[in-house]
Amino acid sequence: MQQMWQPELETLPRPQIEALQLKRIRETVARVHERVPFYKERLDAAGVRPDQINSFGDFRRIPFTVKEDFRRNYPFGLLAVPRREVVRVHASSGTTGKSTVVGYTRKDLEMWSDMVARFLVMAGVTQDSVVQVAFGYGLFTGGFGLHYGAERVGATVVPAASGNTRRHLQLIQDFGTTHVVCTPSYAMHICEVAGEMGLDLIKQTRLRTACLGGEPWSEQMRQRMFSLYGIHGYDNYGLSELIGPGVSGEGPECKGMHIFEDHFYPEIIDPESGEVLPPGSTGELVLTNLTREAQPVLRYRTRDITRLDLATCACGRTMARMARVTGRSDDMLIIRGVNVFPTQIEHAFLEMQGTSPNYQIIVDRQGSIDSLEVKIEITEQMLSDEMKNLHRLESDVQKRLAEALSITPKITLVEPGTLPRSEGKAVRVIDKRPKEA
Ligand code: DLL
């Protein structure tokens, strides 16, 4: 059995988890009905009375909350406590419009740290660990969220923040960093730069684990990180609207990320119809805060596509696991009528030796026909290979992707180090198609 941060809670038998969730749902709905005008209006309009919620079925009559509701209530309209009780705010910047503001009471911050601590302990963090945070500190929830979680565990925290990769590597060597915390794409970049500097992470540093989240990534990428650099990558998921990181996380024995269900109630819906899908179905994740004070959110549509597994895990935890997020329903590309997620592309081409996880997807339209190009950096080793092998790789990748996606993309192999790198969330897709009016 694995180490756990809150073992009694993390192994609650399912019937107890569900009883606790229902009790907390009732309390939360009653609180927001009483304190948040937006929810009072919503619930009244839907004819939902908090004292009449006696089952999850009753709860499902509550309309969804969406990102737009945050924008409309910018900045503090969704608070369920007086502003003076809010001790911290974070915000996530959307691509359009006003950002999403989230408030925390002191108790919320404690709960948040515990949730992040649960994940970090899964990823092997102890008091002996040195945890280097390479997320941005600021309004983004990644930096502070992981920072306080690691401090809660009692690890030595290095708040190095994002950027300046060579300095990160210097600190990794000097401070004996054991865990690095960042996005998967930035972790790959750190590993690559170590290679360029001639630094063997396994032989010359204590770094063994990367705690990764904030963006989708593939199982293939995890395997690459381990086979090339010896670093174990563990996934953790969260979003600002619900709290930040700390909604779910995984350890070495888990296939999928445990959702901390005593604090977040998950549902999977059909993104088109909004209907709740039966257990095991793939669809959009909807989350409800069960214990948050400052800003509890009911039935928030995350847009993230995943699947839930309720079976008890090899690690001993009983809480539902969500599968790796394949993408966001609003990131899904529709190319010539075919639905394509960037992670599907990544997963397929990384099966081929000679490719690296640095890639860019370019979608365009010629006349009325969509075109898909995938630019992929090859590995250093491949670069020194013969031309004919490069051509073979190009056509193999094309065949593999055509099989996986049902459309044939153009493949452009490029030299290592030529595609843009990101210090935070990677930008994988450039969609040049004119926007529909
Ligand atoms: O990215 C919170 C976070 C920070 C999670 C650090 C983990 C680590 P937002 O900026 O609000 O919050 O973005 C939330 O990022 O809806 C997903 O689409 C995506 N996302 C976050 N974690 C994962 C993950 C933070 N592990 C949005 N896998 C979410 C896939 C993820 N997508």
Side-chain angles (χ1 to χ4, degrees), residues 315-334:
C315 75
R317 290 178 183 82
T318 48
M319 304 220 163
R321 274 167 292 165
M322 59 184 269
R324 186 180 276 289
V325 173
T326 41
R328 297 174 53 79
S329 56
D330 44 12
D331 276 0
M332 188 178 75
L333 295 162
I334 304 181

Tab-separated table of all heavy atoms in Angstrom, residues 315-334:
chain	number	residue	atom	x	y	z
A	315	CYS	N	-3.377	1.070	-5.603
A	315	CYS	CA	-2.707	1.852	-4.559
A	315	CYS	C	-3.504	1.825	-3.251
A	315	CYS	O	-3.026	2.323	-2.233
A	315	CYS	CB	-2.503	3.294	-5.019
A	315	CYS	SG	-4.008	4.275	-5.002
A	316	GLY	N	-4.729	1.305	-3.285
A	316	GLY	CA	-5.539	1.212	-2.073
A	316	GLY	C	-6.574	2.323	-1.952
A	316	GLY	O	-7.466	2.259	-1.116
A	317	ARG	N	-6.466	3.340	-2.786
A	317	ARG	CA	-7.444	4.429	-2.683
A	317	ARG	C	-8.767	4.014	-3.313
A	317	ARG	O	-8.775	3.267	-4.299
A	317	ARG	CB	-6.903	5.697	-3.374
A	317	ARG	CG	-5.757	6.331	-2.613
A	317	ARG	CD	-5.212	7.546	-3.349
A	317	ARG	NE	-4.063	8.087	-2.634
A	317	ARG	CZ	-2.837	7.603	-2.739
A	317	ARG	NH1	-2.593	6.597	-3.540
A	317	ARG	NH2	-1.854	8.143	-2.043
A	318	THR	N	-9.846	4.544	-2.743
A	318	THR	CA	-11.177	4.161	-3.222
A	318	THR	C	-11.796	5.237	-4.106
A	318	THR	O	-12.855	5.027	-4.685
A	318	THR	CB	-12.101	3.954	-2.017
A	318	THR	OG1	-11.942	5.084	-1.158
A	318	THR	CG2	-11.773	2.672	-1.281
A	319	MET	N	-11.162	6.386	-4.155
A	319	MET	CA	-11.802	7.496	-4.871
A	319	MET	C	-11.706	7.292	-6.377
A	319	MET	O	-10.715	6.771	-6.882
A	319	MET	CB	-11.139	8.801	-4.464
A	319	MET	CG	-11.207	8.982	-2.959
A	319	MET	SD	-11.546	10.646	-2.468
A	319	MET	CE	-12.054	10.354	-0.781
A	320	ALA	N	-12.759	7.735	-7.069
A	320	ALA	CA	-12.858	7.525	-8.522
A	320	ALA	C	-11.612	8.032	-9.230
A	320	ALA	O	-11.011	9.025	-8.809
A	320	ALA	CB	-14.073	8.268	-9.055
A	321	ARG	N	-11.237	7.311	-10.273
A	321	ARG	CA	-10.100	7.774	-11.078
A	321	ARG	C	-10.609	8.338	-12.398
A	321	ARG	O	-11.513	7.780	-13.002
A	321	ARG	CB	-9.173	6.600	-11.390
A	321	ARG	CG	-8.162	6.333	-10.298
A	321	ARG	CD	-7.512	5.006	-10.500
A	321	ARG	NE	-8.458	3.921	-10.291
A	321	ARG	CZ	-8.252	2.665	-10.666
A	321	ARG	NH1	-7.146	2.337	-11.287
A	321	ARG	NH2	-9.145	1.730	-10.427
A	322	MET	N	-10.026	9.460	-12.817
A	322	MET	CA	-10.349	9.973	-14.152
A	322	MET	C	-9.203	9.621	-15.082
A	322	MET	O	-8.032	9.672	-14.697
A	322	MET	CB	-10.599	11.486	-14.125
A	322	MET	CG	-9.460	12.342	-13.618
A	322	MET	SD	-9.934	14.094	-13.517
A	322	MET	CE	-9.431	14.666	-15.149
A	323	ALA	N	-9.554	9.219	-16.284
A	323	ALA	CA	-8.522	8.887	-17.270
A	323	ALA	C	-7.830	10.179	-17.685
A	323	ALA	O	-8.397	11.267	-17.543
A	323	ALA	CB	-9.163	8.234	-18.474
A	324	ARG	N	-6.599	10.056	-18.143
A	324	ARG	CA	-5.861	11.158	-18.740
A	324	ARG	C	-6.819	11.986	-19.610
A	324	ARG	O	-7.611	11.427	-20.374
A	324	ARG	CB	-4.814	10.482	-19.606
A	324	ARG	CG	-3.801	11.286	-20.253
A	324	ARG	CD	-2.937	10.313	-21.018
A	324	ARG	NE	-1.909	9.738	-20.149
A	324	ARG	CZ	-0.884	10.438	-19.701
A	324	ARG	NH1	-0.744	11.706	-19.998
A	324	ARG	NH2	0.020	9.864	-18.944
A	325	VAL	N	-6.751	13.298	-19.482
A	325	VAL	CA	-7.646	14.150	-20.277
A	325	VAL	C	-7.171	14.135	-21.726
A	325	VAL	O	-6.012	14.439	-22.003
A	325	VAL	CB	-7.634	15.599	-19.726
A	325	VAL	CG1	-8.406	16.543	-20.630
A	325	VAL	CG2	-8.180	15.638	-18.302
A	326	THR	N	-8.069	13.750	-22.643
A	326	THR	CA	-7.629	13.690	-24.040
A	326	THR	C	-7.620	15.072	-24.668
A	326	THR	O	-6.956	15.293	-25.672
A	326	THR	CB	-8.543	12.779	-24.880
A	326	THR	OG1	-9.887	13.031	-24.488
A	326	THR	CG2	-8.211	11.328	-24.659
A	327	GLY	N	-8.362	15.986	-24.098
A	327	GLY	CA	-8.380	17.345	-24.643
A	327	GLY	C	-9.626	18.031	-24.160
A	327	GLY	O	-10.400	17.467	-23.394
A	328	ARG	N	-9.793	19.258	-24.590
A	328	ARG	CA	-10.988	19.995	-24.202
A	328	ARG	C	-11.964	19.949	-25.365
A	328	ARG	O	-11.536	19.981	-26.521
A	328	ARG	CB	-10.630	21.449	-23.912
A	328	ARG	CG	-9.679	21.613	-22.738
A	328	ARG	CD	-9.265	23.063	-22.603
A	328	ARG	NE	-10.411	23.948	-22.545
A	328	ARG	CZ	-11.158	24.139	-21.445
A	328	ARG	NH1	-10.857	23.539	-20.340
A	328	ARG	NH2	-12.181	24.962	-21.476
A	329	SER	N	-13.266	19.901	-25.027
A	329	SER	CA	-14.215	19.816	-26.140
A	329	SER	C	-14.067	21.062	-27.016
A	329	SER	O	-14.288	20.999	-28.213
A	329	SER	CB	-15.636	19.643	-25.635
A	329	SER	OG	-15.958	20.679	-24.751
A	330	ASP	N	-13.628	22.188	-26.434
A	330	ASP	CA	-13.458	23.362	-27.297
A	330	ASP	C	-12.077	23.417	-27.964
A	330	ASP	O	-11.808	24.309	-28.744
A	330	ASP	CB	-13.801	24.672	-26.572
A	330	ASP	CG	-13.236	24.759	-25.170
A	330	ASP	OD1	-12.392	23.909	-24.825
A	330	ASP	OD2	-13.643	25.666	-24.422
A	331	ASP	N	-11.182	22.466	-27.673
A	331	ASP	CA	-9.895	22.365	-28.371
A	331	ASP	C	-9.972	21.347	-29.485
A	331	ASP	O	-9.032	21.156	-30.240
A	331	ASP	CB	-8.801	21.801	-27.453
A	331	ASP	CG	-8.176	22.861	-26.605
A	331	ASP	OD1	-8.590	24.013	-26.728
A	331	ASP	OD2	-7.290	22.501	-25.818
A	332	MET	N	-11.084	20.626	-29.499
A	332	MET	CA	-11.211	19.566	-30.485
A	332	MET	C	-11.233	20.207	-31.872
A	332	MET	O	-11.963	21.164	-32.113
A	332	MET	CB	-12.501	18.793	-30.246
A	332	MET	CG	-12.626	17.579	-31.091
A	332	MET	SD	-14.139	16.711	-30.702
A	332	MET	CE	-15.331	17.767	-31.512
A	333	LEU	N	-10.398	19.680	-32.744
A	333	LEU	CA	-10.360	20.222	-34.089
A	333	LEU	C	-11.322	19.403	-34.935
A	333	LEU	O	-11.349	18.178	-34.822
A	333	LEU	CB	-8.953	20.067	-34.657
A	333	LEU	CG	-7.864	20.877	-33.948
A	333	LEU	CD1	-6.492	20.336	-34.291
A	333	LEU	CD2	-7.989	22.336	-34.362
A	334	ILE	N	-12.087	20.090	-35.740
A	334	ILE	CA	-12.906	19.323	-36.693
A	334	ILE	C	-12.302	19.583	-38.061
A	334	ILE	O	-12.331	20.710	-38.561
A	334	ILE	CB	-14.380	19.729	-36.624
A	334	ILE	CG1	-14.880	19.567	-35.179
A	334	ILE	CG2	-15.223	18.878	-37.574
A	334	ILE	CD1	-16.331	19.919	-34.967
